[in-house]
Amino acid sequence: MATDTNAALQEELLRRARARAADRAAAPLPRADRPTGPAPLTRAQRRMWLMDRLGQGGAQYSVPFATRLHGPLDLDALGAALTALVGRHEILRTRYGREGEEPHQVALPAPAAVAVDLVECPDDGAAALTEEARRPFDLAAGTVPRALVLRHGPEDHTVLVTFHHIAIDGASLQTVAEELAALYGAAVDGSAPALPAPPQYADFARREHSAASGASDGLAHWTRRLTGATPPPLPRPVTAPAEVRERPAATGATAIDAQVLTALRELGRERRATVFTVGLAAAFAALHRLTGELDLVIGCAATHREGQAMRGLVGLCVNTLPIRVDLSGDPEFATLVERVRDALLEAQQHRDVPFDLVLEQLGAAARGADGSSLVRVSWDLVGEQTALRLPGLRARAVDVGVAEAKFDLTFGLLDAAAPQSLVQYGRAALDEEAGGELDTSFAALLTAVAVDPALRLSALPGRPARPRASGHPAQARLAAHPDVADVYVAAPAGGPVLAYAVLNRTGGPSPVQLRAHLRGALAPELVPAAVMLLDEMPRTTEGAVDTARLPTAAVPAAPKSPRLEAVTEAFAGLLGRRPAPDEDFFSLGGHSLAAVQLAERLRSALALPLVGLDIMQTRTPRAVAALLDGRAADRATAVATASTTARPHRVREGTVLVTGGTGGVGAFVLRELAARGRPVLALARPESAHLVSGDGVEVVEGDLGDLDGLRAAVARADAVIHAACTFTRPDVDVAAMEAMVDAWNGGPFVFVSSVDAYGQPAKARVAEESPSREELSAYGRAKTACERILLAAAGTGGRGGASAVRSPIVWGAHDRLRDQLRWGATGLLYQAALKGDPVTLPAPGTGGHEWYGAPWVHAAALARAVTSCLDAPVHGVANAVSGHVAWSDLTAELIALLGSDSSVTFTDEVHRDLDHRWHYRADRLAPALRPEPGEELHAVLASMIGDPQR
């Protein structure tokens, strides 16, 4: 007993000693002359903050620092070391806010302890490490690093510390590793670490902010240097690759002989250049081989770390240098090294000018015609990975990939005992076949120039770029496509633009896909009316295209398009006068109800999918006709594909009937069911059937007005998710529910209802299944009636359980939901912010109500909640709500995301569109509604807004 007591006492004394040591190692007392309070962001930080606000930061700005450790790891000491590290460096416990339009950073108090999560992991834990590294940070709450320890065995661990790039760079990581080792050793021994007080990043940010006004000479240099430069045209994929959201980037590494690296260093010495410069020259050569361009810009990182005052500084102290090089004259590689050396030396003389200031100075010239950034290609020389070398343990660095790319294309060279060439590219920016070839050819290029620096660019490895097409811009775009072997674009005066293409492989892109590729890169008026695929291009004996032998396309001239004429007639019939092709729907006296009526007329006349929100978004006859043309082409492709595939006549066991699959909510439900492996029977109009077809989905044609078709579809399914709604015809909605319930003979039935069914509750907090209270809208009354029909039939006649899931405003990355944001219940705020108009909101307390705002749910969360009811029906009413946002907070988000200068005032009057003041509890479906990464309010709004002019 005495021994146990003594051991416990020794352990407690050691714990206290560690705590005292951690306290002594924490942040030093600030100097009396140090400014306090919020500090400005550096330009590098500002860019990351803006990307985060736009919802585009993602995992690409996570900095995972992982090490495999063998030996006795003291987890308490590790936690104490991390706590002391965060205490020493304010930047590691800083939150980011905004005052007006200017962002700022504020250091938070040092935490009492930094949590270290321990997880048992029998394998190498690669998936767990990647998942942890990809978890987003909330910059507004702070960027305290996250620590995860995987235990593979008693003395075998992987330690992952994840930072946000806004708080750290590569040089900082080395400082962090050294300090953590010292702090860990001190914690183990119970002693005080011998570490000097570090400089603080906020002081560096203030110095940069003060010096910005003196950057005029440097800005003038960069403006002169980059005038006329354009982004290199990378061969883009025709369509987004599979799983591009889950894996947006690809990285290739190819081993090269160690002698190659030695030879490259020797070449550098001969040309008074470093191996960094030689590698950069190789990147320019590879980019030239890929694009054929002779005037290229590649970005590389430069550091602001100079002088004793910066020693030990943790923070983001890097700047991007845009290096512009002339590759004309087919120079020898050794000559190219000299050109790159001179350009790099010149750039380094002005490296103190923040790159974001340069971009602001250049304005629109900093981007290509297709919106691509001037610096879309970068270069880096990479050293051995930093490892966390704790005393008493053996350490090995672990690479944790987050599958994201900061640039469209990055070349790299691993400067290590086992050197490698590196190529990383965004899968949406560079065709995967071209990316794979580039990975191999870059290694071959490095080897070739190491052996013979006198090789000219034209003789270097790499797929030669196709000659740039002359003539119409669409011809140049198609010629650069990796699957197009030959192309010609005819643009006759007064007639439609037609494109003719020869593919270099069977099974290549369809004409619709090629037009979509062009629509993503060219102005609408430059996109051909049709793309025709030929077996070979007809040519004269001289080799020119024989235009007389080109087939003609059944594409009418735009001014006399049958769809444009039909759309114009529909506008005239509804609005009372014939509009010009580009006259605005609203200027003609149109309104929301007229938009619905116009869409119904055109949908019936042309048998193509169209809704009122399409009219309000496109607004002109020409734009509506173009939208319908695109949908007709999409349907034709889908029909042609479907005709070669036999469809089953019997549904699979467990099939779920889904109505409303072409809408925003239905699309997310279909996606969730696919993830669960459930077979689907999707109800859709004939003209919209292609929008829901896919693997595991059988389409049954019909709509809510076809009651016999509804009964037949329900009878074939084992479960029902009813998400369709007319919105404007409650009698049709109720009749449809009656028909579906009549045919329902087993399995669960889930109805996507609305919180409008509650009407005007007396209390501000609304519990699930609270009784409806007048006044109900016609829409809410129809939802209540449908719920009553469904719930009364549940459990009778062999029927299963029923769930009425009441949802509020639904937000998510889908065109229909984007339209709801822009033109629906929140359209008043969105349109005002978009135009920069003043926004007037009801003041808290108006009418005796303390809060005005909206409940909302993320479409993916709603889909999870709805599908969960298939396995566990709620046998009644449940709410599906992600959160509630005040009108003032929503307006602030919209103003920020749209870059608006709208002012906000408060009044004691309440606009009818803003007269909402209820909070709805959502307890029954809470587990399914728990938000996943990217489902917070700001992220979903950013994903929906995108290009506000769309």
Side-chain angles (χ1 to χ4, degrees):
M1 182 70 68
T3 302
D4 293 342
T5 302
N6 289 337
L9 178 60
Q10 292 296 323
E11 182 66 26
E12 176 60 18
L13 291 173
L14 181 58
R15 186 193 66 78
R16 294 180 183 180
R18 287 173 174 171
R20 289 194 298 272
D23 289 342
R24 290 193 295 270
L29 292 174
R31 300 190 313 269
D33 58 344
R34 270 198 73 206
T36 58
L41 271 59
T42 63
R43 300 301 300 197
Q45 283 184 308
R46 186 185 182 94
R47 179 171 181 79
M48 291 188 189
W49 179 82
L50 286 170
M51 296 297 285
D52 181 80
R53 292 288 295 173
L54 291 171
Q56 299 173 348
Q60 64 177 307
Y61 293 121
S62 288
V63 181
F65 175 36
T67 305
R68 188 77 173 255
L69 297 169
H70 294 275
L73 176 63
D74 188 328
L75 290 176
D76 290 338
L78 179 62
L82 282 166
T83 302
L85 177 79
V86 173
R88 284 173 52 79
H89 298 280
E90 293 175 356
I91 190 63
L92 299 181
R93 47 184 166 88
T94 291
R95 68 174 179 84
Y96 300 84
R98 184 178 61 182
E99 186 172 341
E101 292 302 313
E102 283 303 310
H104 61 253
Q105 52 187 316
V106 179
L108 298 171
V114 174
V116 178
D117 294 332
L118 177 65
V119 176
E120 300 292 338
C121 184
D123 58 17
D124 65 2
L129 295 173
T130 297
E131 181 181 0
E132 170 64 17
R134 288 183 62 84
R135 272 208 300 136
F137 283 89
D138 183 355
L139 298 186
T143 55
V144 173
R146 302 190 302 260
L148 173 68
V149 176
L150 303 182
R151 179 154 57 196
H152 313 290
E155 294 192 354
D156 184 6
H157 300 81
T158 298
V159 174
L160 170 65
V161 184
T162 306
F163 302 87
H164 193 286
H165 199 7
I166 200 170
I168 201 167
D169 58 14
S172 300
L173 205 57
Q174 185 62 45
T175 298
V176 163
E178 294 170 357
E179 290 196 4
L180 272 178
L183 293 166
Y184 175 87
V188 168
D189 297 339
S191 60
L195 293 174
Q200 299 299 333
Y201 187 80
D203 298 332
F204 168 74
R206 292 185 178 99
R207 289 196 299 270
E208 183 190 273
H209 188 72
S210 299
S213 58
S216 57
D217 290 345
L219 280 174
H221 162 80
W222 284 115
T223 302
R224 291 191 302 270
R225 187 74 183 94
L226 297 176
T227 295
T230 58
L234 302 180
R236 296 172 57 185
V238 180
T239 57
E243 301 178 347
V244 69
R245 290 189 177 182
E246 294 77 11
R247 191 169 65 87
T251 302
T254 303
I256 58 176
D257 196 287
Q259 294 181 352
V260 169
L261 190 55
T262 302
L264 294 177
R265 291 188 195 281
E266 182 58 32
L267 172 60
R269 280 192 290 269
E270 293 174 358
R271 301 289 168 165
R272 295 181 296 111
T274 63
V275 70
F276 179 95
T277 304
V278 176
L280 177 57
F284 271 106
L287 186 60
H288 163 72
R289 297 290 290 168
L290 176 68
T291 65
E293 298 292 308
L294 298 175
D295 180 6
L296 291 170
V297 176
I298 292 180
C300 60
T303 182
H304 291 304
R305 297 176 183 275
E306 294 180 349
Q308 186 66 27
M310 300 287 279
R311 186 181 299 276
L313 177 66
V314 171
L316 183 61
C317 298
V318 295
N319 189 28
T320 299
L321 291 184
I323 312 301
R324 184 179 186 182
V325 172
D326 176 12
L327 290 86
S328 62
D330 195 19
E332 295 180 353
F333 181 76
T335 302
L336 177 60
V337 170
E338 294 176 348
R339 294 185 189 180
V340 171
R341 177 200 64 201
D342 295 343
L344 184 58
L345 288 173
E346 181 187 36
Q348 287 174 336
Q349 294 176 16
H350 302 277
R351 65 182 179 276
D352 57 320
V353 182
F355 181 57
D356 274 27
L357 280 180
V358 177
L359 293 180
E360 289 180 8
Q361 184 76 9
L362 291 172
R367 292 194 173 274
D370 61 354
S372 57
S373 173
L374 177 61
V375 177
R376 62 188 311 201
V377 182
S378 69
W379 152 258
D380 196 10
L381 182 68
V382 183
E384 291 279 9
Q385 277 187 276
T386 301
L388 179 58
R389 303 191 181 279
L390 301 180
L393 295 98
R394 301 188 307 279
R396 173 175 59 84
V398 176
D399 182 48
V400 180
V402 294
E404 302 239 11
K406 297 180 179 67
F407 295 89
D408 289 342
L409 174 61
T410 296
F411 295 97
L413 176 62
L414 177 60
D415 185 1
Q420 295 177 324
S421 67
L422 308 171
V423 172
Q424 182 186 63
Y425 60 92
R427 298 174 68 224
L430 182 65
D431 176 74
E432 296 211 62
E433 182 180 352
E437 290 181 4
L438 192 61
D439 177 29
T440 302
S441 64
F442 185 51
L445 188 152
L446 288 167
T447 301
V449 298
V451 173
D452 184 5
L455 285 174
R456 295 189 177 277
L457 293 188
S458 58
L460 294 178
R463 181 177 67 176
R466 293 190 180 93
R468 297 184 66 182
S470 58
H472 197 278
Q475 185 163 325
R477 272 286 168 186
L478 288 174
H481 192 285
D483 288 325
V484 174
D486 201 358
V487 63
Y488 176 74
V489 173
V497 177
L498 301 176
Y500 303 86
V502 178
L503 302 183
N504 57 21
R505 64 182 179 91
T506 58
S510 69
V512 171
Q513 289 173 318
L514 290 174
R515 284 193 78 242
H517 170 66
L518 294 173
R519 284 200 301 269
L522 299 176
E525 63 273 12
L526 297 177
V527 177
V531 176
M532 303 186 68
L533 298 182
L534 307 177
D535 293 330
E536 62 178 355
M537 191 70 66
R539 295 190 178 274
T540 65
T541 55
E542 291 79 18
V545 174
D546 189 347
T547 56
R549 293 165 55 202
L550 287 172
T552 58
V555 178
K560 300 185 181 299
S561 167
R563 286 194 186 91
L564 178 58
E565 182 65 23
V567 170
T568 302
E569 288 295 332
F571 267 70
L574 186 67
L575 301 176
R577 90 176 163 83
R578 185 178 179 85
D582 295 311
E583 275 198 90
D584 187 272
F585 172 76
F586 293 106
S587 68
L588 292 164
H591 47 80
S592 57
L593 179 59
V596 172
Q597 295 168 338
L598 179 58
E600 289 179 349
R601 292 188 184 190
L602 288 170
R603 186 168 63 241
S604 299
L606 301 177
L608 288 169
L610 194 70
V611 296
L613 292 174
D614 290 327
I615 302 296
M616 290 193 290
Q617 181 181 14
T618 50
R619 300 171 65 154
T620 69
R622 191 191 305 277
V624 173
L627 177 67
L628 291 169
D629 289 342
R631 290 179 176 172
D634 292 342
R635 185 179 64 181
T637 301
V639 170
T641 302
S643 66
T644 64
T645 305
R647 290 193 175 276
H649 293 284
R650 294 184 179 180
V651 297
R652 293 159 52 192
E653 184 176 354
T655 292
V656 181
L657 171 66
V658 177
T659 68
T662 58
V665 173
F668 279 83
V669 169
L670 290 177
R671 190 180 308 167
E672 181 67 21
L673 289 171
R676 293 171 177 240
R678 293 292 296 264
V680 170
L681 189 66
L683 182 77
R685 292 191 183 98
E687 67 269 20
S688 305
H690 65 287
L691 299 176
V692 295
S693 61
D695 292 339
V697 177
E698 180 184 357
V699 179
V700 55
E701 295 180 349
D703 61 21
L704 297 186
D706 179 8
L707 301 185
D708 290 336
L710 281 175
R711 293 188 185 97
V714 171
R716 295 177 62 194
D718 296 314
V720 177
I721 295 177
H722 181 29
C725 179
T726 66
F727 293 99
T728 58
R729 298 184 62 187
D731 57 324
V732 173
D733 292 328
V734 174
M737 178 60 82
E738 290 175 336
M740 296 176 74
V741 168
D742 181 56
W744 177 30
N745 55 22
F749 194 126
V750 188
F751 174 48
V752 181
S753 186
S754 168
V755 295
D756 283 18
Y758 287 113
Q760 306 273 320
K763 296 182 179 180
R765 305 285 173 174
V766 183
E768 290 172 307
E769 292 197 306
S770 295
S772 300
R773 185 173 182 270
E774 293 291 344
E775 147 183 351
L776 271 76
S777 65
Y779 174 73
R781 199 178 304 279
K783 290 294 186 184
T784 304
C786 289
E787 289 177 1
R788 187 165 50 248
I789 294 166
L790 174 64
L791 297 177
T796 66
R799 298 180 178 96
S803 307
V805 180
R806 292 182 177 178
S807 75
I809 295 173
V810 184
W811 286 331
H814 187 279
D815 285 345
R816 288 288 174 265
L817 302 178
R818 291 187 180 98
D819 291 340
Q820 292 285 0
L821 174 68
R822 296 169 180 174
W823 304 106
T826 55
L828 178 74
L829 304 181
Y830 184 95
Q831 294 301 321
L834 180 64
K835 299 172 184 176
D837 292 341
V839 178
T840 301
L841 301 176
T846 299
H849 305 294
E850 292 303 316
W851 181 87
Y852 286 89
W856 67 278
V857 64
H858 193 288
L862 176 58
R864 291 195 300 272
V866 167
T867 53
S868 73
C869 294
L870 296 176
D871 300 321
V874 298
H875 306 293
V877 173
N879 296 336
V881 180
S882 293
H884 298 79
V885 58
W887 293 132
S888 56
D889 292 336
L890 177 59
T891 303
E893 289 282 358
L894 294 174
I895 288 173
L897 290 169
L898 293 168
S900 172
D901 58 359
S902 292
S903 60
V904 178
T905 58
F906 293 86
T907 180
D908 57 0
E909 296 181 358
V910 184
H911 189 282
R912 59 188 179 87
D913 287 353
L914 304 179
D915 190 11
H916 193 283
R917 64 257 186 194
W918 296 280
H919 284 69
Y920 302 93
R921 293 189 62 87
D923 300 321
R924 291 184 167 187
L925 299 175
L929 291 167
R930 189 174 295 116
E932 296 186 356
E935 292 181 5
E936 65 273 18
L937 176 67
H938 173 76
V940 67
L941 290 174
S943 71
M944 294 173 72
I945 286 176
D947 177 6
Q949 300 301 327
R950 283 180 54 194

